[in-house]
Amino acid sequence: QVQLVESGGGLVQPGGSLRLSCAASRFPLDYYSVGWFRQAPGKEREGVSCISSSDGVTYYADSVKGRFTISRDNAKNTVYLQMNMLKPEDTAVYYCATVSSSCHLKGPLGQGTQVTVSS
């Protein structure tokens, strides 16, 4: 299984931006489709975005469409989630993992990175 490591979370004011990183240390990440998930306290985990391995096709949940952008840098073996115009409801622990071609969770989630949007 491909274990990924998330980073880049933090505290940001509403309307601010953060960029999350998802890195693989021992596997070439460009062979895998990768997804971002989040879980807020008391809520179920939800899929946020994913990017395919083959053609870079992306998917976004309706709640983040137009604000978040997923991308990959194969040279750095990293997938990014650029989050703009953040809202308090984006507050959650964000995880990344390998996913199937239809963006369903496949690999183990990482340890997560906390994103808190608050004034």
Side-chain angles (χ1 to χ4, degrees), residues 76-115:
K76 294 184 178 181
N77 219 27
T78 301
V79 170
Y80 300 101
L81 185 68
Q82 178 67 43
M83 306 187 296
N84 298 329
M85 296 182 287
L86 283 162
K87 304 175 181 179
E89 51 263 44
D90 294 318
T91 296
V93 178
Y94 283 71
Y95 305 89
C96 65
T98 56
V99 296
S100 68
S101 58
S102 55
C103 296
H104 290 101
L105 181 63
K106 190 173 181 181
L109 296 172
Q111 85 287 351
T113 186
Q114 175 70 47
V115 172

Side-chain angles (χ1 to χ4, degrees), residues 4 6 20-22 33-40 43-51 59 61 63-64 68 70 79-81 83 90-100 102-115:
L4 305 177
E6 308 91 342
L20 305 184
S21 299
C22 173
S33 298
V34 176
W36 283 96
F37 302 82
R38 67 185 181 185
Q39 188 163 20
K43 294 187 177 181
E44 293 186 355
R45 186 180 63 223
E46 65 169 331
V48 174
S49 180
C50 67
I51 185 167
Y59 158 84
S63 57
V64 306
F68 290 11
I70 191 170
V79 170
Y80 300 101
L81 185 68
M83 306 187 296
D90 294 318
T91 296
V93 178
Y94 283 71
Y95 305 89
C96 65
T98 56
V99 296
S100 68
S102 55
C103 296
H104 290 101
L105 181 63
K106 190 173 181 181
L109 296 172
Q111 85 287 351
T113 186
Q114 175 70 47
V115 172

